[in-house]
Amino acid sequence: MISEKLCELLKCRTPVGSWCQVVKDKGALVPKCICPKTCSRQRAPVCSVVGKTYMNECFLHKEACRKRRRTGLAHTGPCMIPSDNCTQEELGQFPYRLLDWFLLLSRMGESYAPDAPTQSCLSHAQRIQLAQQRFALLDRNRDGKLSRRDLRKLHYKRMPLEHCATSFFQSCDTDRNRKVTQREWTTCLVDNSEAWFYHFMSIRMGSHKMCSTRTDDDL
Ligand SMILES: [Ca+2]
Ligand SMILES: [Ca+2]
């Protein structure tokens, strides 16, 4: 592309935070360091050297100019958040453990029922219901999306595998717009949970049955 060629040699120092763009000047194309006023909302995420993800490179420079900071581009694509040693195996079982925990929370305050079905005995529809209930509770501003702010509520101390939470939520945000919709949430939580359990049961227990003890509950 012509803009890349023309900008290749121009290192932008002033204005602080600016980036090189090819502009028309008296009919000729010239590379120029500019501070963007507006940016397209096209998703081409980049990661800055201070570890912040922007929707595209333009937004990085827009903010850098506003804050008068020389914030460079670290790499294209969103920043990888350190997972605090959440292993692949742990991440694999996280959705199931999280659903288990939600089930526990949903029963808090109910009278003790020793024969209440465990998660493995829930139907697919019940798992979805459980995920959706928790979604509604977490989505405090009720915009139908979970943002990082909404998710802060989740970080209770007793949450299992808490160090996997960040990686998990990133994995749920399939379109990477940093918001998890109810659809993304439910798919991620329920499908992954069932996939993991199915796998776990077939490998460890030699059985594909999700619920081996109580099969004909009135679920
Ligand atoms: Ca929300
Ligand atoms: Ca999303």
Side-chain angles (χ1 to χ4, degrees):
M1 268 168 72
I2 190 160
S3 57
E4 279 166 19
K5 281 264 176 291
L6 286 171
C7 276
E8 233 163 30
L9 295 171
L10 184 61
K11 291 266 176 281
C12 290
R13 297 194 182 280
T14 50
V16 176
S18 63
W19 67 334
C20 178
Q21 294 289 282
V22 175
V23 293
K24 263 203 169 142
D25 191 8
K26 290 169 194 142
L29 292 175
V30 290
K32 206 174 171 186
C33 291
I34 58 164
C35 276
K37 299 244 180 325
T38 55
C39 294
S40 89
R41 302 194 66 80
Q42 195 186 354
R43 277 192 196 99
V46 295
C47 179
S48 78
V49 288
V50 294
K52 184 171 172 186
T53 304
Y54 295 84
M55 193 184 292
N56 55 50
E57 199 178 349
C58 178
F59 280 100
L60 184 155
H61 290 283
K62 193 175 169 212
E63 185 176 290
C65 286
R66 188 167 54 79
K67 293 184 171 172
R68 299 189 54 77
R69 262 196 219 138
R70 239 181 275 279
T71 313
L73 174 78
H75 58 79
T76 55
C79 305
M80 303 294 281
I81 291 173
S83 61
D84 286 336
N85 304 321
C86 173
T87 65
Q88 279 304 310
E89 197 185 341
E90 287 175 324
L91 186 60
Q93 60 170 279
F94 184 82
Y96 188 84
R97 300 275 297 269
L98 192 62
L99 263 189
D100 235 6
W101 191 59
F102 288 165
L103 185 64
L104 209 75
L105 290 178
S106 74
R107 287 183 178 153
M108 268 166 60
E110 287 177 14
S111 55
Y112 178 66
D115 58 347
T118 60
Q119 193 202 148
S120 60
C121 293
L122 297 184
S123 65
H124 180 70
Q126 283 178 314
R127 274 191 203 91
I128 287 179
Q129 196 189 18
L130 188 61
Q132 288 179 347
Q133 269 171 4
R134 197 48 50 176
F135 184 94
L137 289 171
L138 288 167
D139 181 20
R140 308 237 288 169
N141 64 348
R142 294 171 187 269
D143 66 347
K145 294 165 201 148
L146 297 183
S147 60
R148 223 179 254 193
R149 196 190 189 92
D150 292 322
L151 291 171
R152 231 176 272 160
K153 279 278 289 175
L154 250 187
H155 290 253
Y156 298 114
K157 283 205 180 63
R158 293 202 344 229
M159 185 166 118
L161 297 173
E162 197 200 338
H163 60 289
C164 286
T166 306
S167 316
F168 170 70
F169 294 121
Q170 280 190 329
S171 75
C172 292
D173 180 18
T174 42
D175 61 359
R176 297 198 173 270
N177 65 346
R178 308 221 274 160
K179 294 264 164 75
V180 176
T181 60
Q182 194 186 68
R183 195 196 188 95
E184 285 175 329
W185 170 259
T186 311
T187 307
C188 187
L189 196 55
V190 177
D191 291 1
N192 287 341
S193 184
E194 289 173 354
W196 177 80
F197 192 72
Y198 191 80
H199 182 73
F200 174 83
M201 285 308 267
S202 62
I203 292 200
R204 308 267 167 97
M205 314 290 179
S207 156
H208 279 176
K209 266 197 191 152
M210 294 285 279
C211 177
S212 50
T213 48
R214 298 161 60 86
T215 45
D216 46 8
D217 257 283
D218 52 337
L219 301 179

